[in-house]
Structures are given as structure tokens and as C-alpha cells.
Amino acid sequence: MVTIVQGEIYAVFETGETLLRAGDSIVDRGNRHTWSNRTEHPVTMVAVMLPARC
């Protein structure tokens, strides 16, 4: 799970992208992804990673 604390950033997936702003959270379930900061301002985000059950 990632929560945006300050700024804005795009979460880019194979199927599309989502703009995240301060206060937004997203859960990535092992999908291929990347981040794209399209502004001149820094982004602060908090990430929590937990193991998946098999």
C-alpha cells in the first residue's frame, strides 16, 4: 500500500494510469508498475509492504 503525503504522482500500470494526490492511497497486488512525477515539485509517499500468502 502506498499513501501520498505531499505532492502528486501518477501510478502507471500496463492497463492505464492513475493520478494520486496528497491523502490518496493505492494497493498494488504485485502488478508491474512504475511511478511518474510530472511536476517540478517533490513527492512524499509512504509505502508498506507485506508478504503474500501462497
Side-chain angles (χ1 to χ4, degrees):
M1 179 176 83
V2 174
T3 300
I4 308 304
V5 177
Q6 179 181 345
E8 65 180 46
I9 195 164
Y10 283 86
V12 182
F13 299 93
E14 292 177 349
T15 57
E17 59 188 34
T18 301
L19 175 61
L20 301 168
R21 294 187 172 113
D24 291 341
S25 295
I26 192 168
V27 175
D28 173 32
R29 301 178 123 197
N31 298 319
R32 292 182 139 206
H33 68 282
T34 189
W35 302 101
S36 178
N37 182 353
R38 300 178 186 167
T39 71
E40 296 180 10
H41 305 287
V43 176
T44 304
M45 57 185 176
V46 176
V48 176
M49 293 184 216
L50 301 170
R53 288 187 179 182
C54 296

